[in-house]
Amino acid sequence: MTTTDVNTILASDFDGFRVQVDAEAERADIILGRPPLNVISMPQRDELRRVFEALDAHDGVRVIVLRAEGEHFSSGGDIKGFLEASPEHVSKLADNVAAPARCSKPVIAVNRGYTFGVGFELSLACDFRIASETTLYALPEQKLGQIPGSGGSARLQKIIGIARTKHMVMRAKRIGGAQALAWGIATECVPDDQLESATQALVDELRGFSPLAQRTAKRLINDNEDAPLSVAIEMEGHCYSRLRTSSDFREGVEAFHGKRRAVFTGE
């Protein structure tokens, strides 16, 4: 994707969200903007995918943050939209929601209040989830005679196991931010008024590492999710070997010996 393509996409008017790029902080925010419940429409899913791809190609962005206006992250998808969508469109839902996972840059989901359905699925596709104490996570599709259709049960099972996934999916149970932290769904759980400071602290921490090493780690960990241990260890060794030839690795070693902070360039 060219710089012109990136700028054109990010300058668009979006359905139900906006994009904010802070070049100085090397941070881009995708902000759900249909309060109070931030219901996610069918067209919005396509646009979110395009924006994640554009921000992935943006040279001035190191970390992407997915958050929302108001007291709720998202109550889920537009229910009417499910009945109106074509089978072909519905078949692409999981691919759109997987955009944060495919993105080579770190993606942080900032959750508060209702984080249901596709809102939860989008968050599960991110690398880190910072939950507030008011957060409620749920996959309530059983109440509609359905199941999660965008990777929700699959990703959740990888994180919390089969028994807890059945508890949440088959019983449409809600769990709070503190329980999500205990179960390994959330990376952090903080009071509502500390969400932004916790988010910025994580952004700054991630920016301090080598972009090349971070991209490699994310891809390696994602790809090794379903790999046998022997294959995962071999792939890790190959990636380690390649990174040893990078300028960032040399800078990291020299900075360590020089007792100074490393300045990484991503090369």
Side-chain angles (χ1 to χ4, degrees):
M1 188 179 295
T2 67
T3 301
T4 301
D5 293 334
V6 169
N7 292 335
T8 300
I9 291 171
L10 296 182
S12 304
D13 291 325
F14 303 111
D15 175 24
F17 70 98
R18 59 190 173 89
V19 179
Q20 182 177 296
V21 176
D22 185 339
E24 185 176 348
E26 298 180 303
R27 166 178 169 172
D29 287 56
I30 300 173
I31 307 162
L32 304 183
R34 196 180 278 121
L37 297 177
N38 292 309
V39 173
I40 297 172
S41 70
M42 285 290 183
Q44 185 175 348
R45 300 172 191 230
D46 294 321
E47 293 183 3
L48 283 166
R49 173 186 54 77
R50 292 174 61 238
V51 167
F52 270 108
E53 291 169 354
L55 291 175
D56 200 15
H58 194 302
D59 291 336
V61 172
R62 282 287 316 278
V63 182
I64 301 169
V65 175
L66 177 63
R67 58 186 178 90
E69 295 178 4
E71 61 182 309
H72 299 293
F73 180 78
S74 173
S75 64
D78 177 10
I79 304 302
K80 185 179 178 182
F82 283 101
L83 298 177
E84 297 174 344
S86 68
E88 181 182 4
H89 194 175
V90 171
S91 70
K92 298 178 180 177
L93 294 183
D95 185 65
N96 287 338
V97 171
R102 285 195 305 272
C103 180
S104 67
K105 297 172 181 176
V107 183
I108 304 167
V110 182
N111 302 132
R112 61 153 52 94
Y114 296 162
T115 306
F116 297 166
V118 69
F120 189 17
E121 290 178 307
L122 273 168
S123 299
L124 287 169
C126 297
D127 304 303
F128 306 94
R129 284 161 293 282
I130 301 179
S132 84
E133 293 173 344
T134 66
T135 302
L136 287 173
Y137 290 116
L139 293 169
E141 288 82 1
Q142 290 280 294
K143 295 180 179 180
L144 302 174
Q146 252 301 1
I147 64 170
S150 300
S153 60
R155 284 197 170 87
L156 193 60
Q157 185 172 340
K158 292 289 187 183
I159 297 171
I160 65 176
I162 187 171
R164 287 171 172 170
T165 300
K166 285 180 178 178
H167 170 77
M168 290 192 69
V169 174
M170 296 176 69
R171 301 175 69 190
K173 287 294 186 180
R174 304 176 179 184
I175 69 164
Q179 190 171 7
L181 177 64
W183 282 9
I185 296 171
T187 310
E188 299 178 53
C189 181
V190 300
D192 266 34
D193 60 2
Q194 294 179 23
L195 262 180
E196 175 50 35
S197 60
T199 301
Q200 189 57 54
L202 180 53
V203 170
D204 290 340
E205 177 187 335
L206 293 169
R207 288 175 59 209
F209 299 115
S210 158
L212 180 59
Q214 289 226 308
R215 289 195 300 270
T216 302
K218 176 171 179 174
R219 178 68 181 269
L220 176 69
I221 294 168
N222 285 349
D223 287 351
N224 279 345
E225 179 68 17
D226 298 312
L229 180 60
S230 59
V231 174
I233 290 173
E234 183 175 359
M235 291 305 300
E236 183 180 278
H238 287 312
C239 291
Y240 176 83
S241 238
R242 287 199 300 270
L243 285 175
R244 283 180 63 88
T245 65
S246 71
S247 297
D248 274 359
F249 177 66
R250 176 174 292 278
E251 165 63 11
V253 171
E254 291 178 351
F256 175 81
H257 286 295
K259 297 186 180 188
R260 60 176 175 81
R261 184 173 181 174
V263 180
F264 296 115
T265 62
E267 297 177 353

